[in-house]
Amino acid sequence: MALQLGDTAPDFSQDSTEGVINFHEWLGDSWAILFSHPKDFTPVCTTELGEVARLKPEFDKRNTKAIGLSVDPIEDHHAWKGDIEETQGCGLNFPLLADADRSVSEKYGMIHPNANDTLTVRSVFVIDPKKKVRLTLTYPASAGRNFQEILRVLDSLQLTDNEKVATPVNWRQGDDVIIVPSLSNEEAAKLFPQGWDEKKPYLRMTRLNK
């Protein structure tokens, strides 16, 4: 059965470009972005890994670790690193799992046989410090991912974990948010003294005073 939101992310031990990763131990009290690639030395993957490397300061600000994966051997990963730095202008600065035995891929359902029965698709898992799966995304091999969107959803998850709000369509950090419908107006007034714009009883927009 495929991993679902709220499931505990499977633990694993697997070799990587930074040595053997014991996943839950490596994660510690951080969030994680675990994302898979179809194959080393492929163009779309090369651009994605360069982008994630460039975004490391943004992930760091969000207490988030990035970790990639493909089913190629560790020797290929190390050889590929030079191409990534040369073409993308940023060297690999996070671990890339060498899942040659497909043990991690199978635990996470990263191989979709009707797309390709041996290579991983572009899976994304956001995992919180409690080791729970909070977001899943699946892209085809031909389409590169939008990591700005992944950062946006990470911001939403971290905000809504701490505030009684939800984030509306196309929300970005600093935009108005929605007071969750489960709060009565009396309860909301205590939490949001700045007030809100009530478009409907279930749609109350407010701006957090942060």
Side-chain angles (χ1 to χ4, degrees), residues 5-7 31 126-128 132-136 157-158 160-161:
L5 301 185
D7 287 351
W31 292 68
V126 172
I127 299 159
D128 71 17
K132 299 297 183 182
V133 175
R134 301 295 300 278
L135 170 77
T136 63
L157 287 168
Q158 294 184 347
T160 58
D161 273 0

Side-chain angles (χ1 to χ4, degrees), residues 73-154:
I74 193 67
E75 295 80 10
D76 286 358
H77 283 7
H78 283 299
W80 190 22
K81 283 163 51 176
D83 288 0
I84 295 165
E85 183 165 10
E86 177 186 349
T87 63
Q88 304 305 304
C90 194
L92 200 67
N93 52 20
F94 57 90
L96 184 59
L97 296 166
D99 193 37
D101 64 1
R102 295 167 172 74
S103 60
V104 180
S105 303
E106 290 173 1
K107 286 180 178 179
Y108 280 80
M110 293 172 169
I111 296 174
H112 293 206
N114 289 330
N116 189 304
D117 61 2
T118 58
L119 303 180
T120 51
V121 294
R122 297 187 194 284
S123 297
V124 182
F125 298 88
V126 172
I127 299 159
D128 71 17
K130 296 180 181 178
K131 319 303 188 282
K132 299 297 183 182
V133 175
R134 301 295 300 278
L135 170 77
T136 63
L137 290 170
T138 303
Y139 286 65
S142 59
R145 285 163 282 208
N146 184 337
F147 283 92
Q148 291 297 328
E149 166 64 5
I150 292 168
L151 283 173
R152 189 190 76 86
V153 180
L154 183 59

Side-chain angles (χ1 to χ4, degrees), residues 46-66:
T46 301
T47 64
E48 288 188 324
L49 290 171
E51 177 67 1
V52 174
R54 275 191 294 274
L55 288 173
K56 187 176 188 301
E58 294 299 320
F59 288 120
D60 288 346
K61 284 194 296 189
R62 295 162 173 84
N63 186 33
T64 300
K65 298 177 178 179

